């Protein structure tokens, strides 16, 4: 990608080189004179996202000029990025009109219209847990979990710009930040969400996971051994994938945990 700089800047730099200005005699002086460039879009609604390799040769400032020797003799001077440690990398996020505008660091599942989000490339991954799980089964004497299924419902409005990831994985997220997984099924095969598309009504598409083993572990866990679950799109590479899903408080797209259990009554 080439970005044409202002003509006045090129003429100024050429004049400094021609006159052997002190700012062009060594790297330190040149860096003091040229503070850098900011690359940004002109449109506030642009979805542009660029990824630049983290190598010194990936970014080059190049000045083109010509010598008059009876005919134009094209010449150029290149200024490669020689010290990437001086680079300043910043991402300015404005989610005002985006689907991520409702993003919060912590949400309560029962609140209305709550969503959970996932976005590759920016590594926006949602972690979630079930803090009321033990309380729910406390008064069920002799209760034993038979099966636990997690159903995640993608919000349909998200599909206008972003297709659903074909593969969605679940990972264990430990209290120390360690990521374990992805979760596997009873046959030791990686779970991919078993995506079901509702082509007819477009409202009942869902990912489903068997998390029976996880739920049984959490019922026996303490504050040190407890884990959370994290969703990540599988096989995404460097592609930008974005996914928003409803939580239990979202009446139209209700993600849910389905528990099948038996309760023994001694009476």
């Amino acid at each position: 990608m080439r970005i044409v700089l202002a003509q006045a800047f090129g003429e100024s730099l050429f004049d400094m080189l021609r006159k052997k200005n002190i700012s062009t005699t060594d790297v330190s002086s040149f860096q003091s004179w040229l503070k850098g460039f900011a690359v940004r879009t002109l449109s506030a609604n642009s979805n542009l996202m660029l990824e630049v390799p983290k190598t010194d040769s990936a970014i080059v400032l190049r000045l083109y000029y010509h010598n008059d020797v009876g005919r134009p003799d094209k010449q150029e001077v290149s200024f490669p990025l020689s010290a990437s440690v001086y680079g300043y990398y910043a991402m300015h996020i404005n989610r005002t009109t985006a689907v991520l505008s409702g993003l919060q660091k912590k949400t309560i599942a029962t609140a209305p219209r709550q969503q959970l989000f996932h976005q590759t490339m920016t590594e926006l991954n949602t972690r979630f847990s079930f803090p009321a799980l033990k309380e729910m089964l406390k008064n069920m004497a002799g209760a034993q979990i038979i099966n636990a299924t997690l159903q995640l419902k993608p919000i349909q409005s998200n599909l206008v710009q972003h297709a659903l990831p074909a593969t969605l994985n679940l990972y264990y997220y430990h209290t120390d930040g360690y990521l374990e997984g992805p979760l596997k099924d009873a046959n030791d095969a990686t779970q991919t969400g078993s995506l079901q598309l509702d082509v007819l009504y477009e409202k009942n598409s869902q990912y489903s996971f068997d998390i029976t083993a996880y739920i049984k572990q959490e019922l026996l866990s303490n504050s040190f051994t407890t884990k959370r679950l994290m969703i990540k799109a599988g096989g995404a590479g460097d592609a930008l994938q974005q996914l928003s899903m409803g939580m239990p408080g979202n009446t139209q797209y209700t993600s849910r945990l389905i528990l099948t259990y038996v309760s023994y009554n001694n009476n």
Side-chain angles (χ1 to χ4, degrees):
M1 180 179 67
R2 296 191 177 194
I3 301 176
V4 179
L5 302 178
Q7 181 71 18
F9 170 78
E11 292 177 352
S12 176
L13 178 58
F14 176 75
D15 188 61
M16 292 171 62
L17 290 170
R18 188 171 60 86
K19 296 179 178 179
K20 295 181 174 57
N21 186 287
I22 189 174
S23 295
T24 62
T25 56
D26 60 80
V27 174
S28 179
S29 299
F30 187 74
Q31 290 175 345
S32 297
W33 174 74
L34 181 62
K35 303 300 182 182
F37 300 97
V39 180
R40 60 184 181 182
T41 62
L42 296 178
S43 173
N45 297 321
S46 174
N47 291 322
L48 177 66
M49 181 173 291
L50 300 176
E51 182 179 11
V52 180
K54 298 178 181 178
T55 59
D56 291 348
S57 59
I59 302 176
V60 178
L61 170 65
R62 187 166 288 123
L63 175 67
Y64 298 93
Y65 66 98
H66 67 270
N67 292 324
D68 289 325
V69 288
R71 58 179 177 78
D73 180 23
K74 297 181 180 180
Q75 301 288 337
E76 64 182 53
V77 179
S78 297
F79 302 85
L81 179 65
S82 59
S84 57
V85 293
Y86 293 112
Y88 176 75
Y89 306 96
M91 180 178 291
H92 301 277
I93 302 175
N94 182 358
R95 299 190 175 106
T96 305
T97 59
V99 66
L100 300 180
S101 59
L103 179 64
Q104 301 177 19
K105 290 186 177 180
K106 187 175 183 180
T107 60
I108 302 174
T110 55
R113 299 186 62 81
Q114 285 294 350
Q115 304 178 41
L116 58 90
F117 300 98
H118 169 76
Q119 190 178 73
T120 58
M121 192 177 291
T122 60
E123 283 295 329
L124 175 61
N125 302 309
T126 298
R127 301 191 301 267
F128 52 98
S129 60
F130 309 96
L133 185 62
K134 294 182 180 180
E135 293 297 323
M136 181 178 62
L137 298 179
K138 181 181 294 184
N139 298 324
M140 299 180 184
Q144 181 177 351
I145 297 295
I146 301 300
N147 180 266
T149 302
L150 179 64
Q151 292 182 348
L152 301 176
K153 292 287 189 72
I155 296 177
Q156 194 65 27
S157 59
N158 179 72
L159 307 184
V160 177
Q161 291 183 330
H162 305 280
L164 289 177
T167 301
L168 194 65
N169 300 132
L170 276 180
Y171 290 79
Y172 291 135
Y173 185 87
H174 295 254
T175 54
D176 59 359
Y178 172 68
L179 206 61
E180 175 189 354
L183 269 65
K184 297 186 178 182
D185 59 21
N187 297 319
D188 202 36
T190 298
Q191 297 192 56
T192 59
S194 302
L195 175 60
Q196 300 177 23
L197 288 174
D198 179 11
V199 181
L200 183 59
Y201 297 104
E202 299 185 345
K203 290 184 178 181
N204 296 314
S205 297
Q206 66 180 27
Y207 296 91
S208 60
F209 299 89
D210 182 353
I211 60 170
T212 307
Y214 167 75
I215 293 298
K216 289 182 177 180
Q217 291 174 10
E218 285 299 290
L219 289 174
L220 300 175
S221 68
N222 54 42
S223 58
F224 296 100
T225 61
T226 185
K227 305 173 186 177
R228 296 181 181 181
L229 293 177
M230 174 184 284
I231 58 172
K232 288 175 69 71
D238 293 331
L240 176 60
Q241 295 188 24
Q242 183 169 288
L243 178 64
S244 61
M245 290 171 281
M247 295 181 69
N250 189 310
T251 57
Q252 190 172 10
Y253 303 97
T254 306
S255 298
R256 57 183 181 169
L257 170 64
I258 303 174
L259 296 178
T260 303
Y261 67 93
V262 292
S263 180
Y264 299 96
N265 191 334
N266 294 329
N267 298 327

